[in-house]
Amino acid sequence: MAENYIKSKIIDSEVAQHLGFADAVADIHRKNGASPKYFIQTFGCQQNEADSERLGGMCVAMGYEKTLTPEEADLILVNTCAVREHAEKKALSIIGQYKHIKDRNPALIIGVGGCMVTQEARADKLKKSYPYVSFTFDTGAAYKVPRLVLGALRGEKRSFILSDEWKINEGLPISRESGHMAWLSIMYGCNNFCSYCIVPYVRGRERSRSAEAIIEEAKQLIAGGAKDITLLGQNVNSYNGGDGVDIAELMHRICALDGDFRLRFMTSHPKDASDRLIEAMATEEKIVKHFHLPIQSGSDRILKEMNRKYDTAAYLEKIAKLKVAVPDVSITSDIIVGFPGETEEDFLGTLDIMEKVRYDMVFSFIYSPRNGTPAAKMDCQIPHEVSAERMSRLLALQDKISNERNERFLCRTMRVLAEDVSKNDPNMLTGRGDGVRPIHFAADRSVIGQFVDLKIKSVSTYSFEGEII
Ligand code: SAH
Ligand code: SF4
Ligand code: F3S
């Protein structure tokens, strides 16, 4: 059984029924004396990473063991993203490469899920052009994967049905990637319909898990050694657990649990960034002083066209409150460049708001038209060269601001969770403390998963170097 495999205490009846199919799959493997392996390829955001951990949980329940090598797998699940064209292209290209594996191993089962195939046209494309894919499952139907795998094992017809179900599906088992860092989904879906965005169409309407189920999961995580918990939702701060439990109250309740851990939350919509949430961050020691509050554009005209439901003045007012309440806060943002009709003046508004807020970090994207969204039909789509040129100016400005913001951490001592071995240097570890930049430091691997006290020796644009004290 996988190391961080967690079974939930609260289980919906439909989920329980489908876990029965998982048992049936496991039975088949047992009878065949097989020890089959699963491989999951994940694209997209943290929501998808969390969903993939649930898919992994179901694979374990079906008797599969994890492999990191697709060539070794008996079951490959691809969890796709649709937020930009590039994400879809990457997924289709990977699925294309799996044909060779299927040619060599005809018993291999390939299933594709997630946001891309929650669009009918994409599910159809897979059905027609990728005959070696056994099934697709949309974001609301991941719990049905054991039934789909059972069907594939029994040689039933391929399945490409959209379920249009947007429930919560409490009780899926989870196979977590890490013991010390954990995603905790608290709500699903989005009601905002920003005019450029596909997410509301592929993730359904907003629905919040009960506070009880979330607290239960948080307790399990902490007991299992989790030190860094991120509450997840497309609009995490519009969480509504009923009886007046908003995200601020939920975080107060989680922070009150015993244990040495830190709490984060992602992603917040500015319209729902309440005073109560800011106050929670200011008063709860366990909440990391990082607020990701995507502005998307610094032009009021474009914000209106984007259907973002706030203007720059309202946004800056929230930022001002946040900075007063949490003086050392790190603020980060998402920004779209080249939204239809964006003029040079609109774009200068974006650079201007970046100067005013002084973000620690910005995730910036060139606008990508998404079929079925209002913005894709708008006049005045911006030529790629214009967007790319604007993007390079934006990146240069943000690098300058990041460098200036990073200076405040130089020589500071901070408590850092040793997260993993550094990707660039196997002799170094990497972790995060105050701020949003990864910190690299020399230490024995045995401290991974523990907090260490570091002094920051040097800062560069994208990472810091520290020394254990
Ligand atoms: N729910 C979150 C994140 C949504 S997707 C939020 O509202 O902030 C993550 C980011 O992708 C968005 O913030 C936006 O900046 C970007 N994005 C979404 N749709 C896009 C599109 N069609 N083209 C380019 N970027 C897009
Ligand atoms: Fe997309 Fe807007 Fe919803 Fe974020 S709030 S997921 S950008 S529609
Ligand atoms: Fe992509 Fe779906 Fe997330 S579209 S960004 S994986 S919600």
Side-chain angles (χ1 to χ4, degrees), residues 45 83-84 190 192 194 196-199 233-235 267-269 292 294 296 308 334-336 363 365-370 373:
C45 63
V83 78
R84 284 169 289 274
C190 177
N192 290 326
C194 301
Y196 49 83
C197 185
I198 196 73
V199 171
Q234 283 302 340
N235 285 296
T267 289
S268 301
H269 192 293
H292 183 61
Q296 310 296 0
R308 285 292 287 180
D334 292 351
I335 294 179
I336 294 178
F363 300 92
F365 310 99
I366 290 183
Y367 168 73
S368 170
R370 304 285 67 209
T373 63

Side-chain angles (χ1 to χ4, degrees), residues 43-45 47-48 80-83 115 198-199 202-203 234:
F43 296 96
C45 63
Q47 290 286 346
N48 258 22
T80 61
C81 170
V83 78
C115 295
I198 196 73
V199 171
V202 293
R203 287 274 174 182
Q234 283 302 340

